[in-house]
């Protein structure tokens, strides 16, 4: 968890550190990321890094969380079990990623970091159908980000699966 010390930094310094984290984790998997590159780019001391974050994983979770908040902001939220709403939310998320400064980070996450973080089991949904639809949407997002050329086919597959669940 990012420290309160970080929260009290000047906004410009926070922005420099966030950009250094984004650059590092967009270009390097967590397994090969280096504090040295982050602190050099951010213009901070190595000890300061450890005042702000417990370790590289903590810093990664911080910047990835910011990315998810930013990309999810304003997305349509499926209400009920409507296939069209889930498909629209998935398309909107993919568009948000494509147009986001976090695009490389999110792709790197699915390529190298997601399994390493051991996030645990999926959340229970309000209903089995909502859980299944959400799981299918997240898998489709992952697959499209890993293989962008398959987006049309994967979104069509998702639409078919969601329609069958609805019907």
């Amino acid at each position: 968890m990012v420290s309160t010390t970080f929260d009290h930094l000047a906004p410009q310094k926070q922005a420099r550190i966030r950009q250094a984290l984004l650059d590092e984790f967009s270009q390097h998997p967590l397994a090969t990321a280096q504090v040295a590159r982050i602190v050099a780019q951010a213009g901070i001391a190595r000890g300061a890094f450890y005042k702000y974050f417990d370790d590289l994983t903590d810093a990664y979770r911080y910047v990835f969380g910011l990315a998810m908040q930013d990309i999810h902001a304003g997305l349509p939220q499926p209400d009920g079990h409507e296939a069209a709403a889930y498909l629209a939310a998935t398309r909107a998320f993919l568009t948000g990623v494509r147009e986001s400064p976090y695009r490389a980070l999110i792709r790197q996450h699915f390529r190298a970091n997601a399994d390493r973080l051991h996030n645990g089991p999926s959340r229970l949904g309000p209903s089995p159908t909502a859980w299944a639809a959400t799981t299918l949407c997240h898998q489709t997002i992952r697959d499209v980000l890993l293989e962008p050329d398959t987006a049309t086919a994967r979104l069509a597959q998702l639409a078919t699966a969601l329609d069958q669940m609805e019907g």
Side-chain angles (χ1 to χ4, degrees):
M1 180 75 77
V2 66
S3 74
T4 56
T5 305
F6 181 82
D7 291 334
H8 292 106
L9 293 175
Q12 300 85 353
K13 189 169 187 177
Q14 284 183 15
R16 273 197 337 264
I17 294 168
R18 279 194 297 271
Q19 188 61 53
L21 294 172
L22 178 60
D23 291 348
E24 181 68 13
F25 296 128
S26 294
Q27 297 168 20
H28 303 279
L30 187 52
T32 61
Q34 294 180 3
V35 172
R37 287 190 294 251
I38 295 167
V39 299
Q41 180 180 341
I44 61 172
R46 186 177 186 90
F49 176 89
Y50 290 105
K51 282 185 181 180
Y52 309 144
F53 307 101
D54 292 338
D55 53 25
L56 278 169
T57 301
D58 187 36
Y60 178 82
R61 287 182 190 276
Y62 168 72
V63 76
F64 186 76
L66 291 175
M68 289 294 97
Q69 285 176 346
D70 188 46
I71 294 168
H72 279 98
L75 286 183
Q77 296 300 312
D79 186 26
H81 305 298
E82 296 177 14
Y86 280 99
L87 188 60
T90 301
R91 287 180 190 276
F93 183 89
L94 288 167
T95 299
V97 169
R98 188 174 48 247
E99 297 170 358
S100 167
Y102 300 110
R103 181 179 184 181
L105 174 72
I106 304 304
R107 289 196 67 204
Q108 186 72 266
H109 176 78
F110 287 120
R111 264 193 236 123
N113 297 329
D115 293 337
R116 183 177 175 84
L117 294 176
H118 308 292
N119 289 328
S122 63
R123 293 183 187 154
L124 291 172
S127 72
T129 304
W131 169 82
T134 300
T135 300
L136 287 172
C137 291
H138 284 125
Q139 185 63 43
T140 300
I141 289 166
R142 179 187 184 281
D143 293 344
V144 168
L145 291 173
L146 290 173
E147 293 182 349
D149 294 344
T150 66
T152 301
R154 291 189 188 278
L155 288 166
Q157 176 179 272
L158 175 63
T160 300
L162 292 171
D163 285 340
Q164 289 176 1
M165 287 173 49
E166 188 177 67

